[in-house]
Amino acid sequence: MICMKAAVSKYSTELDIPGPTGELLGEISDPARFADITGHILLLEKRSGSATGTPDYFPGRLDVVYAYQPCGKSASLALGWMERTDLTQQGVSYRGGTYDGSLTWEVTIELYPTGGWIRLWLSVAALWRAPSGYLGSESVADMQGLIEHIMRDHMEPYFGSYTGAPGRSALKPGLIALYTAEGRLDDVVFTALDQVDGLRVGLVTVEADRIRGAFTVYDGEVKDAWFFSGSEALRGDGAVNKIAGLGPLVRLSVYTADADVLGCRLKGRGSRPPLDKST
């Protein structure tokens, strides 16, 4: 029996930003926009709407990639899910996790009008299980650092610079599609492998009839395999066997993960007060 460490991380903070509430609520209620703001949740779903704050109301759970590179360590990707769980005139909540169950998280954003300003309350809670889960062999300390990094270096600066002006520019996507093909797996996989060569960090997805498999890529080599269909989720050799049996036709896509999105702690963003933490 493998003994797994578990750790809970909780962070919260408040910011005063310009109104109106409706414009900001429109941004944070869009799952695609929310994922972009975190900097480390990369959507695998196609986006159907505007990236300037117009909500894209995705049904149910979304397939996502969690991406992180602790300082001085290798970049890592893990497959998982995210969903919006609550939406009111006062705010929104999201939750998600990895498909291997080693990470679960929940974020709540609440808006309180105060004159011409909005008091924004932001909180996140995450449960980590190690060593056999999220992001391979990375430590619980690294994962706790990821939560603080998302709050301090992504979400706080984003909301702290909010002006209330409509039509904000799109955030830089974390996953960039390099190649997509449809056909028999044996026919399309060799071209995909050519695309993988030279990738620092990337992802290969294989889809057939709402079943998805994926391979993570580091330094031009395939390092890990994932498979999920409904409630079934596998990782490693079991996932490889399942993916090999997909067919007769599949859709295969190759993505590269933007290095700026993966990066460790960003510099020059320490002007805000320390986060209010509790464990």
Side-chain angles (χ1 to χ4, degrees), residues 14-33:
E14 289 185 353
L15 299 171
D16 289 330
I17 58 180
T21 303
E23 179 69 28
L24 180 56
L25 185 60
E27 291 210 16
I28 62 176
S29 63
D30 174 3
R33 189 70 172 179

Side-chain angles (χ1 to χ4, degrees), residues 113-252:
T114 57
W117 291 75
I118 304 168
R119 176 151 295 175
L120 182 145
W121 182 72
L122 175 65
S123 72
V124 58
L127 173 64
W128 309 100
R129 297 181 180 89
S132 62
Y134 177 58
L135 302 187
S137 61
E138 301 298 345
S139 68
V140 169
D142 286 335
M143 299 306 97
Q144 291 173 319
L146 172 59
I147 289 293
E148 183 174 350
H149 166 70
I150 288 174
M151 291 282 282
R152 189 184 300 277
D153 296 327
H154 290 278
M155 301 191 78
E156 281 203 54
Y158 179 85
F159 291 120
S161 64
Y162 187 81
T163 63
R168 303 188 76 191
S169 61
L171 294 168
K172 191 174 184 179
L175 282 179
I176 303 168
L178 299 178
Y179 170 79
T180 298
E182 296 183 11
R184 293 178 57 85
L185 184 58
D186 291 345
D187 296 332
V188 297
V189 70
F190 293 107
T191 304
L193 290 176
D194 290 339
Q195 300 290 326
V196 164
D197 186 37
L199 284 184
R200 176 186 165 192
V201 182
L203 185 76
V204 179
T205 62
V206 185
E207 301 173 72
D209 297 330
R210 298 187 180 182
I211 299 172
R212 174 173 280 152
F215 298 94
T216 51
V217 178
Y218 310 117
D219 296 324
E221 297 183 5
V222 175
K223 296 294 187 181
D224 202 357
W226 301 70
F227 174 88
F228 45 100
S229 174
S231 60
E232 183 180 18
L234 299 172
R235 187 175 182 180
D237 291 342
V240 173
N241 294 334
K242 286 283 191 178
I243 294 170
L246 290 179
L249 299 178
V250 301
R251 178 182 177 87
L252 188 146

Side-chain angles (χ1 to χ4, degrees), residues 5-83:
K5 290 182 179 180
V8 176
S9 299
K10 293 183 179 180
Y11 295 89
S12 64
T13 190
E14 289 185 353
L15 299 171
D16 289 330
I17 58 180
T21 303
E23 179 69 28
L24 180 56
L25 185 60
E27 291 210 16
I28 62 176
S29 63
D30 174 3
R33 189 70 172 179
F34 170 79
D36 279 347
I37 292 169
T38 70
H40 293 270
I41 302 176
L42 315 179
L43 287 189
L44 281 173
E45 307 290 330
K46 291 186 176 68
R47 304 188 186 193
S48 59
S50 167
T52 59
T54 302
D56 294 337
Y57 291 108
F58 295 97
R61 291 188 173 187
L62 304 174
D63 294 329
V64 303
V65 177
Y66 295 96
Y68 185 44
Q69 182 174 12
C71 291
K73 298 185 179 181
S74 299
S76 296
L77 304 177
L79 297 189
W81 58 275
M82 181 191 86
E83 65 182 352

